[in-house]
Amino acid sequence: MTTDNSATSLDKAGTPADAPPVGNPDAAEGAATATDPRLLVREQGLGGYVTEFKRKISGGDLGSIPVIVGLAIIAIVFQSMNSEFLSAKNISDIATTMVATGMMAVGIIFVLLLGEIDLSVGSVSGVSGALVAVLSVTQGMNEWLAILVAIVSGAVMGAIHGFFFARVGAPAFAVTLAGLLFWLGFMLQLLGDSGTINLDGDGVVGKLTTYYFTDVAAAYGLAAIAVVGYFAAAFLDTRRREAAGIPARPLADILVRTAVIGVFGFAAAYMFNQYRGLPLALVLFLIVLVGTDFVLRRTAYGRKIFALGGSVEASRRAGINVTAIRISVFSIAGTFAAIGGLFWASKIAAANQGSGTGDLLMNVIAAAVIGGTSLFGGRGRTWNALLGVMVIVSIQYGLSLEGIATPIQYMVTGAVLLATVVIDSVTRRTQKTAGRA
């Protein structure tokens, strides 16, 4: 009896030793040594990056380029119209004002990564502010405890939406639209007949948008932490990639990127110190962005969210608990909506019947999409919230400086949003044509 040995001996080139000769050895050798050109970019110097940039543009991979170019155009146009636009006071005001919308946009990005939408975040934010006002002012509860109740309530409200969507199977659009109406009514019920409850400006919520670190070392220190932190993270990532034998960024590349971050970081720190100092609101927002970005890009949970946004069926077959991920994502959206509601309450030093209404929902979704998060799911980063909300708030402040009416502001913001969606759609179609979607 003979034994069938399935192990085939290989020669040094990695081909079976008993394989028939190849008709074109040169072609075969070239195929064996071919490497994805994307992996060679950093080994080819500046020319490699130029080639990679052209490849990305032709393939529809625009990344954050459109929004960065847009921010530059906004700054140039409004500064030419009014020299106060890039003043220290205006930049500080923009940085503080954008945090509330930005916090809510972070939660929306998690939902958009699934290819879904949450229309309830405005009403959830209003309930959050109303809860804090009622519990801390009317009922005399400790303010920290009232804040915790408000945030947990936001998470629960989001989880309820997620349950009906993921477990029951109702469309997210319909579920969250119902949530928008229900929680709006709940907020009005909480506020009662007066409709407005004023907050203590010196309280915890009150100081969220009014407290500044006046010591110049605070702003410069934060800039230094950002620069050192980025360099350390990039350098360690490069070391890990080199140890694994895969292409990594050269040290020169890391140093150039670190220098760019340093220039913008210390320039912003200088501007803040020319006015009232570093805003507490901005510090908290940056902490949230760093934390959520880590969760999405460096954890198994984050990878599951991206996978689910790419293909629900493939994710299910890969063993991902689709229902649990969906519920948790909507709960995260509710949590950040509640946090954003606290910042809005701080901004107006009150909770009133207008909280969470008006153009807030539109601005939150627009911030996420304008920043670069795809409406089709599977593509985006929480840093998109920062870029997008900077565009929206900068436009609002720039038009306000010129005394342009609110209706025009709505139209301009809507036009920017439409342009972003069109770019997203064209980009996605281009990527499909290039075989990269």
Side-chain angles (χ1 to χ4, degrees):
M1 179 181 294
T2 59
T3 303
D4 182 19
N5 187 356
S6 59
T8 305
S9 61
L10 303 177
D11 62 13
K12 294 181 180 179
T15 42
D18 57 350
V22 180
N24 189 346
D26 295 334
E29 181 180 356
T33 58
T35 305
D36 188 336
R38 290 174 293 181
L39 302 179
L40 299 175
V41 170
R42 300 182 181 105
E43 300 175 4
Q44 298 173 350
L46 180 60
Y49 281 99
V50 173
T51 301
E52 174 69 357
F53 177 77
K54 292 179 179 178
R55 185 192 65 78
K56 286 185 175 181
I57 296 299
S58 62
D61 187 4
L62 301 179
S64 299
I65 294 176
V67 68
I68 293 175
V69 172
L71 281 170
I73 294 174
I74 289 170
I76 293 172
V77 170
F78 285 122
Q79 179 66 15
S80 64
M81 296 172 62
N82 192 316
S83 60
E84 291 298 313
F85 181 75
L86 292 181
S87 65
K89 179 182 182 304
N90 199 54
I91 291 177
S92 181
D93 289 344
I94 290 175
T96 303
T97 301
M98 72 181 186
V99 172
T101 303
M103 287 287 192
M104 298 171 67
V106 169
I108 279 289
I109 286 173
F110 276 79
V111 177
L112 290 177
L113 287 175
L114 297 182
E116 301 297 339
I117 194 66
D118 188 343
L119 302 178
S120 68
V121 291
S123 296
V124 172
S125 71
V127 171
S128 170
L131 278 174
V132 168
V134 170
L135 294 177
S136 63
V137 177
T138 305
Q139 303 297 326
M141 180 183 288
N142 177 272
E143 191 172 8
W144 282 106
L145 182 57
I147 291 172
L148 179 61
V149 170
I151 294 176
V152 171
S153 298
V156 171
M157 287 183 272
I160 292 173
H161 302 151
F163 172 81
F164 282 103
F165 165 59
R167 179 68 70 179
V168 178
F173 179 90
V175 170
T176 55
L177 178 59
L180 181 154
L181 299 172
F182 183 88
W183 300 122
L184 176 60
F186 183 61
M187 179 192 71
L188 298 177
Q189 185 70 25
L190 283 174
L191 293 174
D193 297 333
S194 64
T196 300
I197 301 177
N198 294 323
L199 296 171
D200 181 8
D202 294 325
V204 179
V205 174
K207 288 185 177 181
L208 286 176
T209 57
T210 60
Y211 185 83
Y212 292 78
F213 297 97
T214 55
D215 191 334
V216 295
Y220 290 126
L222 180 61
I225 291 173
V227 172
V228 173
Y230 175 81
F231 176 81
F235 182 75
L236 292 176
D237 182 64
T238 295
R239 294 293 297 272
R240 286 194 296 268
R241 295 176 68 88
E242 289 176 346
I246 56 179
R249 289 175 181 167
L251 181 60
D253 182 5
I254 297 175
L255 290 175
V256 170
R257 291 169 180 262
T258 303
V260 172
I261 292 175
V263 168
F264 282 99
F266 282 98
Y270 173 79
M271 294 299 291
F272 289 137
N273 284 332
Q274 298 305 302
Y275 182 52
R276 298 176 62 183
L278 179 65
L280 171 63
L282 181 62
V283 175
L284 296 176
F285 187 33
L286 292 177
I287 291 173
V288 165
L289 290 175
V290 172
T292 52
D293 182 69
F294 178 84
V295 169
L296 282 177
R297 298 200 303 128
R298 301 293 183 180
T299 67
Y301 175 74
R303 289 190 288 271
K304 290 176 182 178
I305 292 176
F306 280 105
L308 194 56
S311 173
V312 176
E313 187 57 33
S315 299
R316 184 179 288 110
R317 292 183 179 182
I320 295 176
N321 189 332
V322 174
T323 299
I325 295 296
R326 283 174 163 174
I327 293 175
S328 66
V329 164
F330 276 89
S331 181
I332 289 172
T335 300
F336 281 107
I339 294 173
L342 298 179
F343 280 89
W344 276 118
S346 174
K347 187 68 178 176
I348 63 176
N352 59 36
Q353 294 178 341
S355 300
T357 60
D359 61 346
L360 178 58
L361 174 63
M362 181 271 291
N363 284 338
V364 170
I365 297 175
V369 176
I370 290 173
T373 303
S374 175
L375 284 169
F376 301 98
R379 191 177 78 243
R381 296 180 59 181
T382 51
W383 287 99
N384 296 148
L386 173 62
L387 295 173
V389 77
M390 284 176 63
V391 169
I392 292 175
V393 178
S394 295
I395 291 175
Q396 291 174 345
Y397 268 72
L399 295 176
S400 295
L401 285 175
E402 293 302 304
I404 297 176
T406 301
I408 303 299
Q409 297 182 26
Y410 285 159
M411 288 188 282
V412 172
T413 305
V416 172
L417 176 58
L418 177 61
T420 304
V421 173
V422 170
I423 291 174
D424 183 32
S425 300
V426 173
T427 296
R428 187 175 180 84
R429 188 162 55 248
T430 304
Q431 289 178 334
K432 285 184 178 180
T433 303
R436 301 184 60 204

